[in-house]
Amino acid sequence: MTHLLIHNIKGLVQASETLPSRLKGSDMKKLPVIDNAFLWIENGLVREYGHEKHLPESLPADVQRLDAGGGFVLPTFVDSHTHIVYAGSREDEFVDKIKGLSYVEIAQKGGGILNSAQRLRQTSPEELYVQAEARLRELLSFGVGAVEIKSGYGLSTESELKMLRVVSKLKKNYPLVQIKATFLGAHAFPKEVEREVYVRSIVEDMLPAIAQEGLADYCDVFCDKGFFTVDECRYILQNASRYGLKPKIHANELDFSGGIQAGVAEKAISVDHLEFTGEEEITALLNSQTIPTLLPSTAFYLGFEYPPARLMLDADLPVALASDYNPGSSPSGNMLFVLSLACIKMKMTPEEAINAATINAAAALELEESAGCIRKGRRADFFITKPIPSLSFIPYSFGSRLVAQTFLKGQLVYKEASSWS
Ligand code: NIG
Ligand code: FE
């Protein structure tokens, strides 16, 4: 038996036995916080928590004590949408963008997803793993404990498999991190292949090969102007379902693409991006279990309008937040900054933003039973902040590195190094 007691916690966030598995509308404003708290972990699972005055008197003699130093303790974030397996970077396009080229113009010039696909083909699986691993570890430093990782820079059977095998290796080497893999063959059309031929190859070559190796949990498609049509997306997702891969959609990032309605029709677990969302899309989502997932760092980086989070919340929808960490539209996995953008740019309250990045993001990965809140008998996945005056300080102090330590199953997986002590 190992026992760990975290004490001197200024506020223990989302420790509750009664929270629902997803929060919508005005319920997202509520965030349980226990002041002056302790958290007791036994063998990696939450044993007990509460106000310090309720600290059990007879703790096991071998209990290891950790002083939280007056920091807050939160359940680890769930980053339910990333593309962290990619080769190199694309800061040359970043400069093109500064000079005035649009995301679509850059893509048409051979940049964008196709640029990353070409680099990926030239990169060995070993090198790809090293780069992806560094990004995964970086996520831990932002308080992330569960993550979804997509393929989609392969765009051929061989390269898509190469990407998903890297994800598989991350799963194997980082068993404490809850990782879900998503096949995103329908991310872009490779240059040398005709449209119909590529769609057919996704369905006839890639899906069976991926299913045979058990490499993916979900199938995603980029349903947007200039990319895949609603019909192509639905056809791919329906075939993916036959192989047990549940649907997710990149929808309505560039236009009112019909992607949200297609996601609802296909019973997608989540639809993500949603910059172009109006009444019709909201009505469709209201009649579904599909979680709208917003990626504000993408809108920030591309200079787009932000998704209308307030409209969605006021309509009683659940909202999740994720980073979209990728080389072309969100070269950052900083979930704390995502929270800041959600508050500053989308007018979400700090409580709503935290709920969106924990409970609802867990629902977007079907991890309701093992992530998103702190509950007795469950995995002790949490992070301790530096001493801060309040929870609102987290999104307020945008860009600050506020995570001091991250724990998964009660084990330390990240600790900030101090250069001065
Ligand atoms: O989620 N929207 C589509 N795909 C990515 C961007 C990919 C890229 O530019 O490399 C996204 O934003
Ligand atoms: Fe994405």
Side-chain angles (χ1 to χ4, degrees):
M1 289 279 182
T2 62
H3 291 271
L4 173 64
L5 179 77
I6 319 280
H7 63 101
N8 193 17
I9 301 171
K10 185 176 174 75
L12 177 62
V13 181
Q14 263 171 340
S16 165
E17 302 304 297
T18 54
L19 281 169
S21 56
R22 65 171 67 184
L23 293 166
K24 55 191 183 113
S26 57
D27 286 345
M28 287 189 70
K29 289 190 186 355
K30 296 179 210 149
L31 185 69
V33 181
I34 303 171
D35 294 333
N36 304 324
F38 74 91
L39 175 63
W40 173 11
I41 295 133
E42 180 181 52
N43 287 340
L45 306 179
V46 176
R47 163 82 184 257
E48 190 65 77
Y49 56 79
H51 192 281
E52 287 226 332
K53 68 180 178 229
H54 300 305
L55 186 63
E57 273 167 21
S58 55
L59 285 166
D62 61 346
V63 68
Q64 192 195 332
R65 289 169 192 269
L66 180 70
D67 186 339
F72 279 78
V73 168
L74 286 87
T76 44
F77 294 127
V78 176
D79 193 350
S80 67
H81 182 138
T82 83
H83 308 246
I84 60 170
V85 177
Y86 61 82
S89 51
R90 303 210 316 248
E91 64 276 16
D92 40 352
E93 293 176 16
F94 170 66
V95 176
D96 283 344
K97 197 169 78 70
I98 294 168
K99 292 183 180 158
L101 290 192
S102 73
Y103 183 68
V104 173
E105 283 164 345
I106 290 170
Q108 280 162 352
K109 226 180 103 186
I113 297 166
L114 295 185
N115 183 356
S116 285
Q118 197 181 356
R119 282 169 200 249
L120 189 126
R121 279 173 208 189
Q122 294 157 354
T123 305
S124 72
E126 292 76 22
E127 174 58 23
L128 206 51
Y129 177 82
V130 168
Q131 295 186 21
E133 181 186 38
R135 296 180 195 116
L136 180 70
R137 295 177 84 123
E138 187 191 6
L139 291 181
L140 301 176
S141 78
F142 297 127
V144 171
V147 61
E148 183 248 23
I149 308 173
K150 299 176 194 292
S151 68
Y153 292 118
L155 309 182
S156 70
T157 307
E158 189 192 338
S159 296
E160 285 293 308
L161 286 171
K162 176 159 106 177
M163 289 187 78
L164 289 168
R165 288 183 189 131
V166 167
V167 180
S168 229
K169 191 165 160 190
L170 288 169
K171 283 190 187 185
K172 184 165 151 270
N173 292 348
Y174 287 84
L176 290 175
V177 186
Q178 300 191 79
I179 299 176
K180 294 267 182 143
T182 299
F183 166 54
L184 176 58
H187 197 192
F189 287 95
K191 254 209 202 116
E192 62 276 21
V193 187
E194 271 181 57
R195 213 174 165 97
E196 300 78 22
V197 174
Y198 186 61
V199 171
R200 213 179 316 129
S201 129
I202 290 177
V203 169
E204 292 176 10
D205 306 328
M206 298 186 200
L207 280 172
I210 288 161
Q212 195 184 354
E213 280 188 53
L215 289 174
D217 303 290
Y218 300 111
C219 179
D220 194 346
V221 290
F222 189 8
C223 188
D224 231 317
K225 188 167 87 181
F227 290 84
F228 291 76
T229 64
V230 164
D231 287 347
E232 287 163 344
C233 288
R234 293 192 65 175
Y235 175 67
I236 292 166
L237 292 176
Q238 284 164 10
N239 278 282
S241 293
R242 294 197 294 123
Y243 291 99
L245 271 55
K246 295 186 190 170
K248 279 182 169 275
I249 301 200
H250 275 71
N252 297 45
E253 176 187 3
L254 306 173
D255 202 355
F256 289 98
S257 64
I260 294 178
Q261 289 89 334
V264 168
E266 295 304 328
K267 298 195 168 30
I269 305 299
S270 70
V271 285
D272 304 27
H273 277 289
L274 320 187
E275 282 78 355
F276 289 84
T277 300
E279 290 301 326
E280 258 181 60
E281 286 74 17
I282 288 181
T283 307
L285 285 165
L286 279 170
N287 295 314
S288 78
Q289 288 299 307
T290 301
I291 304 244
T293 298
L294 312 183
L295 315 167
S297 47
T298 301
F300 169 76
Y301 179 83
L302 296 178
F304 287 176
E305 287 285 319
Y306 286 80
R310 268 286 39 106
L311 271 186
M312 295 180 188
L313 290 166
D314 294 345
D316 205 32
L317 281 173
V319 165
L321 287 168
S323 75
D324 197 18
Y325 195 172
N326 77 74
S329 69
S330 177
S332 160
N334 188 337
M335 280 301 280
L336 301 170
F337 185 55
V338 168
L339 294 195
S340 295
L341 290 174
C343 296
I344 298 164
K345 296 293 188 185
M346 302 199 298
K347 306 295 175 209
M348 291 172 73
T349 65
E351 291 79 11
E352 287 171 336
I354 291 170
N355 278 321
T358 53
I359 293 208
N360 284 354
L365 286 189
E366 300 178 288
L367 291 175
E368 296 94 333
E369 300 299 321
S370 57
C373 68
I374 292 171
R375 186 166 292 180
K376 289 177 199 170
R378 287 214 188 156
R379 296 169 56 111
D381 291 0
F382 60 93
F383 67 89
I384 307 177
T385 70
K386 293 178 182 169
I388 52 174
S390 70
L391 269 184
S392 301
F393 190 87
I394 297 177
Y396 156 81
S397 62
F398 69 89
S400 282
R401 297 201 69 108
L402 295 178
V403 175
Q405 304 185 48
T406 305
F407 289 80
L408 295 177
K409 278 199 171 167
Q411 291 182 43
L412 183 69
V413 294
Y414 166 76
K415 186 173 166 71
E416 202 203 29
S418 164
S419 43
W420 287 96
S421 59

